[in-house]
Amino acid sequence: MNIDKQSSDMAWWREAQNARDERVAWWQDARFGMFVHWNASSQLGGVWRDKVYSGYTEHIQRLATIPCEVYREEVVGVFNPTEFDADRWIKAAKSAGMRYFIITAKHHDGFAMFDSDASDYNILDATLFGRDPMKELKEACERHDIRFGFYYSHAFDWGEPNGAGNDWDYDNPGGSQLLHGGRNWYDKNPHLVPKFRTYVDQKAIPQVVELIEKHDPDILWFDTAAKLPPEECLRVLKAAREVGPDVVINSRIVQYTGHGNYGDYLSTVDRPADFHPVSEDWEAIPTTNESYGWSANDESYKPSLFFIRLLAKAAVVSVKMRTFVFGVNPAGRSAPNSVAA
């Protein structure tokens, strides 16, 4: 695929862009949202085998190099959030003035927090919970007039032999060991690309299609696109556009191509303390401490005045449009769950 936006291969993208302004109108108006970072790793709080891991706690499987078999049995297998209350979460967001809500449908560990036909590594088949919390949150958003969307890790998947990033169970690129050429492994070792295309065909695209067809989200938030060739990420985007032409999609669907933003708006840097002007619609993603997933040991919470000032700055930065997503910890305390990393 020629990824140049003016190429014949990209005619589908240019056609989709004709509806872009209409598609993002609600998002431009909403301006303030909640992004909850929650999955099976949340119950660990950044601790594994009595060892505390610093940094993003949602990366605990990678940080502790937990084998997939062990992670599935001892982390996913015991995940049973019986006190989960979708209405309580959405009411909290609305009472704070937030007008859209995003939730992690699948993070980098590959475990789906929704009922998936594409993989049995999901909350109904792999846990005792027996419910689809994504469905319940969507229904709660409809009841309380809040826009709804998913985070989906399309390029990173540690649970799949054909997924990028797991270099402790598999000999795969995209991980901390920088195997097979490091960051741009697909340019240095193109013969490996078909293996990871299998993952895109068999899991990433089917699950994105499932999320759109089953739950009709208003927004999809993708991440870490640099782990796969841009051509593969564009195939995910194309599939999403075919079944969800009205879904708002962030810039992290495709990254580092030299051709600019293929999404509907720009996702800026993680954990900002300030904003820099940009020339297009953008979204900032701060945290309350230094992690996105819940951390049992990170008490470096920023004072409320920090976020009041940050909101004020977001309102006055001289750009076309800006929105601000913020989070509340599912455990009940103000905490770092505003966006994915």
Side-chain angles (χ1 to χ4, degrees), residues 93-110:
K94 187 164 186 176
S95 67
M98 296 166 176
R99 299 175 65 189
Y100 67 109
F101 183 94
I102 300 175
I103 179 74
T104 44
K106 176 178 84 80
H107 201 259
H108 307 329
D109 60 4

Side-chain angles (χ1 to χ4, degrees), residues 261-274:
N261 177 12
Y262 290 86
D264 291 318
Y265 68 88
L266 184 65
S267 300
T268 58
V269 297
D270 292 352
R271 299 182 298 138
D274 206 339

